[in-house]
Amino acid sequence: MLDQKGVDLELIVADHSSGDGTYEVARSFESDPRVTVLETPAGGGAIANWAAVTERARGDYLKLLPGDDTVLPGSLARQVALLEAHPGASLVGGRRRIIDTKGRTIAKRRGLQGLDAVMSGGDAVRASVLSGTNPFGEPGAVTMRRSALEAAGGWQGQWSYAIDVASYYGVLRHGSFVRDDEVASTFRVGGGQWSVALVDEQASEMTRLFEWAGSVFDEVSDADVARGSAKARSLARQRRMVYRILRLVKR
């Protein structure tokens, strides 16, 4: 992350009461004036950490990076440049490389399916609904305007598995979408917490999110919601099969 060039970087690290020495390791980087390390109390889930780092950040642009993910060199400057070139845009999304727990590549260039180079916020949300998934990418692949996130009411913590894409939908109510065609980040999948039940619950929550989008965005029709929901269930079945092959889920 700190290797990014051509951008005025501020890195806020929040340790959510871990007991594995993460806080001490993070503190070792505080000699770099760009780094601030926070401790957040136990409880509150991911939204507590996400809100803490967002509140402390002072920049006009925000990128959230969960613990297992990485931002590839050059991606910050590239995505900021895209937002500055499109002042009406509230969010830029890039491709990501999917890796397993051993760092092996599962997919080299994932994401952005159905998304044009520049789209209105409503059209971008519709493309997401029709895809049945989150084509914008995990938070490490996305950069957004701080003002748009604030206008949307911040991170959408009422959602469990869909908190990222639900937050993007909120941000896209306040600006357009811009596509970053390069691979912006890596996203790691794996771990014993991945169960068949969780995969199915993700699909169910995406269906509820699509229904919400249909009630908010004029561009999203009832037919779009039905099509996207069916696609979400189909993708859940495919993920379940892949995760089992890779031994990333419990039966």
Side-chain angles (χ1 to χ4, degrees):
M1 186 71 170
L2 293 174
D3 290 338
Q4 300 291 322
K5 306 295 183 182
V7 65
D8 186 11
L9 171 65
E10 175 190 35
L11 178 61
I12 312 296
V13 181
D15 177 66
H16 197 47
S17 301
S18 67
D20 60 0
T22 296
Y23 180 71
E24 290 73 21
V25 171
R27 286 291 306 273
S28 70
F29 289 91
E30 281 195 304
S31 57
D32 188 319
R34 298 173 296 173
V35 178
T36 300
V37 180
L38 311 176
E39 278 188 294
T40 54
I47 185 62
N49 249 19
W50 292 21
V53 294
T54 301
E55 182 179 352
R56 179 63 69 91
R58 294 294 176 261
D60 293 331
Y61 305 113
L62 296 170
K63 179 185 287 290
L64 185 80
L65 189 65
D68 286 344
D69 305 338
T70 66
V71 175
L72 298 183
S75 67
L76 286 184
R78 188 176 62 250
Q79 292 192 343
V80 167
L82 284 167
L83 288 171
E84 292 186 342
H86 299 85
S90 59
L91 183 145
V92 56
R95 301 186 190 277
R96 64 270 198 203
R97 185 170 72 244
I98 311 299
I99 62 175
D100 66 11
T101 54
K102 296 182 179 179
R104 297 173 299 193
T105 297
I106 298 173
K108 291 182 179 180
R109 294 174 58 86
R110 180 68 176 168
L112 303 184
Q113 55 270 36
L115 296 171
D116 295 334
V118 181
M119 305 179 76
S120 71
D123 285 340
V125 169
R126 179 175 185 265
S128 171
V129 170
L130 290 173
S131 75
T133 186
N134 170 16
F136 307 107
E138 292 75 26
V142 170
T143 300
M144 62 185 70
R145 292 190 192 275
R146 180 191 190 92
S147 58
L149 182 63
E150 290 176 345
W155 300 103
Q156 304 299 300
Q158 68 270 34
W159 301 91
S160 299
Y161 311 115
I163 181 175
D164 52 358
V165 68
S167 298
Y168 305 158
Y169 285 8
V171 167
L172 288 168
R173 296 182 70 185
H174 303 280
S176 57
F177 167 80
V178 182
R179 188 180 69 200
D180 172 14
D181 285 318
E182 300 298 323
V183 177
S185 65
T186 66
F187 174 72
R188 189 177 75 165
V189 296
Q193 75 274 19
W194 288 99
S195 68
V196 171
L198 183 144
V199 172
D200 290 341
E201 177 57 28
Q202 286 177 314
S204 177
E205 185 162 282
M206 289 301 286
T207 293
R208 296 194 296 274
L209 178 61
F210 295 161
E211 291 170 348
W212 175 85
S215 71
V216 171
F217 291 92
D218 293 337
E219 295 88 345
V220 181
S221 69
D222 291 343
D224 295 333
V225 172
R227 180 178 169 186
S229 298
K231 187 69 175 294
R233 291 191 294 271
S234 175
L235 290 171
R237 290 192 294 269
Q238 294 176 34
R239 284 197 303 273
R240 190 165 56 230
M241 184 180 301
V242 170
Y243 290 167
R244 279 176 170 167
I245 291 171
L246 296 173
R247 297 182 179 180
L248 299 178
V249 297
K250 300 174 182 177
R251 293 182 180 274

